[in-house]
Amino acid sequence: MLLTLAWTPSRDDSCLMTSTISPLFSSPLCVCILVDENDRVVGHDTKYNCHLWEKIESGNMLHRAFSVFLFNSKYELLLQQRSATKVTFPLVWTNTCCSHPLYRETELIEENALGVRNAAQRKLLDELGIPAEDVPVDQFIPLGRMLYKEPSDGKWGEHELDYLLFIVRDVTVNPNPDEVADVKYVNRDQLKELLRKADAGEEGLKLSPWFRLVVDNFLFGWWDHVEKETVKEAVDMETIHKLT
């Protein structure tokens, strides 16, 4: 992995979910895809509204999301620590990239989850500076979907129908400091030690709730498939795992 220090903003920096929210954050340029619990599109709303806990609770607002798990050729998983300025779950450790497809033509394509895969490629550049050519859209493997709801603090939270995307690539990483505080690759044992520290409350270490759900329900079994190069055998896009 090559880490570089300079950051060049991408076209979607105006939609970053940080505590210094851009005016465009609540504009039509930054809208999430609203779905029902069967993942049928029912509308759209701003990222701002989709993460207000009051709206989530009062209207059961549910939006489509994705979580990328990127492994290198040594089958180590790339993790990120979310920046201190993130609106939801600041400074927690999580999987490679977690975000939302936007309500735009290229990210609404449902066939083979192409819209979500397009969004994943876009956000890997936005958050981690990973060039599009390092993560071709056809290399993302959607393994499954889960539905969860979790408050972050008194004002913000998450209620997502989350696509779980795996990809094995060696990439160049150039983190965006507005989004990412730190990054590291971990093997299985290192991840287990991270889990132990989080459970023990050591070093103030915390994990995102969606990452912990994936770890507890799916990750290590899917990691076996990554190492055996049989990931496609684990695909189940028919089931929506309700883990709320």
Side-chain angles (χ1 to χ4, degrees), residues 28-242:
L29 297 176
C30 304
V31 293
C32 293
I33 302 167
L34 299 181
V35 295
D36 64 18
E37 291 193 355
N38 294 307
D39 200 21
R40 292 185 292 251
V41 177
V42 296
H44 55 85
D45 209 331
T46 63
K47 283 188 178 182
Y48 185 96
N49 284 339
C50 285
H51 294 87
L52 281 173
W53 190 246
E54 179 182 3
K55 286 187 174 291
I56 291 171
E57 287 284 81
S58 62
N60 202 34
M61 186 179 288
L62 174 65
H63 61 273
R64 188 174 285 169
F66 63 83
S67 291
V68 175
F69 293 75
L70 185 149
F71 297 83
N72 63 19
S73 57
K74 295 189 291 186
Y75 305 127
E76 296 169 324
L77 175 61
L78 179 61
L79 303 183
Q80 68 156 278
Q81 184 184 31
R82 292 162 65 85
S83 78
T85 59
K86 296 288 280 188
V87 167
T88 58
F89 303 101
L91 291 178
V92 305
W93 282 92
T94 192
N95 50 285
T96 312
C97 178
C98 329
S99 191
H100 323 89
L102 298 177
Y103 194 82
R104 57 175 63 164
E105 184 177 0
T106 56
E107 298 183 12
L108 282 162
I109 302 169
E110 299 202 354
E111 184 176 1
N112 298 319
L114 179 56
V116 172
R117 291 186 285 125
N118 284 335
Q121 185 189 61
R122 170 178 60 82
K123 285 304 293 181
L124 284 169
L125 174 62
D126 288 350
E127 292 191 4
L128 293 162
I130 298 175
E133 57 267 25
D134 282 7
V135 283
V137 167
D138 63 3
Q139 294 299 300
F140 290 100
I141 301 175
L143 278 180
R145 293 175 291 176
M146 71 175 188
L147 191 157
Y148 77 96
K149 180 164 65 173
E150 190 74 27
S152 177
D153 56 22
K155 182 175 182 179
W156 305 100
E158 296 283 6
H159 190 203
E160 297 186 329
L161 201 152
D162 199 4
Y163 284 65
L164 308 175
L165 307 177
F166 272 42
I167 185 169
V168 181
R169 301 283 293 186
D170 288 323
V171 299
T172 298
V173 182
N174 175 20
N176 177 351
D178 288 332
E179 289 267 22
V180 177
D182 199 2
V183 295
K184 62 181 170 184
Y185 281 97
V186 295
N187 60 31
R188 289 170 181 261
D189 290 339
Q190 289 166 334
L191 178 57
K192 289 176 181 177
E193 176 63 10
L194 205 67
L195 298 173
R196 185 197 67 77
K197 288 182 178 179
D199 289 343
E202 292 182 15
E203 302 173 10
L205 194 147
K206 295 181 180 179
L207 304 178
S208 74
W210 58 88
F211 180 47
R212 191 60 194 250
L213 286 171
V214 175
V215 169
D216 290 345
N217 289 277
F218 311 113
L219 181 58
F220 289 108
W222 287 348
W223 207 324
D224 290 338
H225 283 285
V226 170
E227 293 178 347
K228 295 174 184 176
E229 300 183 0
T230 58
V231 174
K232 291 183 179 179
E233 294 180 9
V235 171
D236 176 11
M237 292 301 292
E238 298 299 318
T239 306
I240 297 174
H241 301 275
K242 296 182 179 180

